Each structure stands twice: as structure tokens, then as C-alpha cells.
Amino acid sequence: VTLYGLWGVVTTWDALTLYDFRAQRLVELGNLSEVAKIQGNYFYSYPLFTTLAHTYLYLTGWASPLIVYAGIYLSLLTIFYSRLKAQKISDTLSLLATLCVAIAPHYFWHSQIAYTNLPYTTYLALGLLYLHSYLGSQNKSELYLGVILSAASTWVRSVEPFWLINLLFALILILRSRHYRSFIPSLLITLGVERVWKTYTSIMQSRVVESSFSQITSNVATLTTSIK
């Protein structure tokens, strides 16, 4: 995975037409607004997480941006294993569970292509793992780390409402543990991070920023429909 990340070539369609395309034009033009003029509304269809990662690697002389996805994949496995060990699970079971994640076809495949799926899933999954750890430890650092990771998923993909599940889980855990002072900070962290891309696109497209309440209502409706 790491070797392919060092020398692999970006080939998948969405990467060629959006994620990596924006990065290459950004390196060439040095201005996001100029890149947006080339692509129009398509430019705003996904946040800039993968694009900025590619841009940084190109500017620092890396041959391929795919090393980002190999790094995310290996980080997921490492942190997943460490979280299991923190829960007092045996070495054997922890390694077996981590191996199952490592060989899961979609995880392994997405570690070698420049799509948003792997980083998005990783942020959400690790956020949920840290929130679960907080359930047992009552360690607020794990709570806030889980909240931040969950919120950061909206910088990778902003349309899907699955970050709401993690947020609701976090708020329920806070109320359950009676750490009431963490309620508002957790809410503000999540909504503050989630608003960044929405605000940016609204300003660049000269339209009114959708309110957090309206966005959450829309996301809940979308999530309910998808579950049904």
C-alpha cells in the first residue's frame, strides 16, 4: 500500500475531474477563485480536504498524492488497534479485529485511489471509537477528540448527514455522564467546523448562508429517508 502510494498514478474519474484536477490547477494558478472559474458550480460539490492534501504534496515535490490515502489507511489500522487495547481487549483479538479491517475489500481498495470515501469513513469511525472510549473512561479529552474527528468529516464530504449520528451520540453520553459543561462546547465545535465549507461556498457563490438549524433539519430528513 505504501509503495503504491509513493509511485501510483491518479486514474479514477472523480479524482481526475475534481479532487486532483483542482489541486493541479491550484498549483498552476495559485488561486482558488481562478480554479473555481474553470469548473463553475462543480468546483463546490465537495470540500477541499483531498484537494489541499494533493496540493501540498505537489508543492513539496512528491511524485504522487496517493501516499495520503496509504497514510490514512495505516493510521486507521494503528488507532483502531490501540483503541481496542485501551479497552483491555487481548492482543490476539485486537490483532484479529484489526486484520479484518485491513483486508476488508473496500478499505484496501480505497487506500489506493484518490477518493474521499476512505478519509471520510476514517474520521467518522475513529470519532465514534473515541466517543465509545469516553463512555467507559469518562475522559473528556477522548470526548472532545471524538467530537473533533466527527466534525472534521464534513471537511471531506459535506452532503451526507452521518456526522449527526456521532454528534447525537456524544450529546447523549454527555447527559448520561452529567458532564453538562461539555454539552455546549461539543455542540459549538461540531457546528463551527461544519459551517466552514458551507459559509465559504455561500460567499463565493454570492448566496445566503443556510442556517445551522435549517441544515440540521434537512440532514435529519435525509438521514430518516435513507434509513427507511
Side-chain angles (χ1 to χ4, degrees), residues 21-227:
F21 178 86
R22 292 188 302 192
Q24 293 196 36
R25 298 293 77 76
L26 186 55
V27 170
E28 177 186 337
L29 302 172
N31 191 306
L32 282 173
S33 60
E34 292 300 318
V35 181
K37 288 178 184 178
I38 297 173
Q39 290 192 303
N41 289 334
Y42 187 46
F43 175 88
Y44 302 104
S45 56
Y46 280 88
L48 296 170
F49 177 88
T50 50
T51 293
L52 293 179
H54 288 206
T55 301
Y56 175 79
L57 290 174
Y58 286 139
L59 289 174
T60 52
W62 289 79
S64 170
L66 296 181
I67 191 63
V68 169
Y69 306 90
I72 291 172
Y73 173 74
L74 296 174
S75 297
L76 170 63
L77 298 180
T78 302
I79 297 174
F80 181 75
Y81 175 78
S82 69
R83 287 294 89 200
L84 294 181
K85 289 295 296 174
Q87 298 296 315
K88 309 300 183 184
I89 297 175
S90 69
D91 290 344
T92 302
L93 288 178
S94 296
L95 286 170
L96 183 60
T98 304
L99 177 63
C100 289
V101 174
I103 63 175
H106 276 79
Y107 279 124
F108 187 74
W109 179 51
H110 279 281
S111 70
Q112 301 169 65
I113 61 174
Y115 273 7
T116 57
N117 303 59
L118 180 62
Y120 179 71
T121 303
T122 298
Y123 275 125
L124 282 177
L126 294 183
L128 194 59
L129 278 176
Y130 276 103
L131 291 175
H132 184 268
S133 294
Y134 166 73
L135 177 62
S137 68
Q138 300 298 296
N139 186 336
K140 289 185 180 180
S141 64
E142 293 183 332
L143 167 67
Y144 288 126
L145 186 53
V147 167
I148 291 169
L149 286 169
S150 302
S153 70
T154 64
W155 286 13
V156 184
R157 299 171 73 106
S158 61
V159 176
E160 292 84 352
F162 298 108
W163 60 273
L164 268 177
I165 296 175
N166 285 20
L167 174 60
L168 291 174
F169 183 48
L171 297 180
I172 289 170
L173 291 180
I174 290 169
L175 294 176
R176 183 177 180 273
S177 62
R178 299 183 180 181
H179 289 163
Y180 302 122
R181 291 183 179 179
S182 298
F183 190 94
I184 297 300
S186 297
L187 197 59
L188 291 177
I189 289 170
T190 302
L191 296 181
V193 172
E194 190 268 342
R195 290 285 86 194
V196 172
W197 177 247
K198 295 291 189 345
T199 302
Y200 172 76
T201 56
S202 296
I203 292 172
M204 296 301 293
Q205 294 178 304
S206 301
R207 56 183 175 82
V208 178
V209 181
E210 187 176 14
S211 69
S212 297
F213 178 77
S214 175
Q215 181 67 33
I216 289 175
T217 303
S218 174
N219 282 339
V220 169
T222 302
L223 189 59
T224 303
T225 303
S226 64
I227 292 174

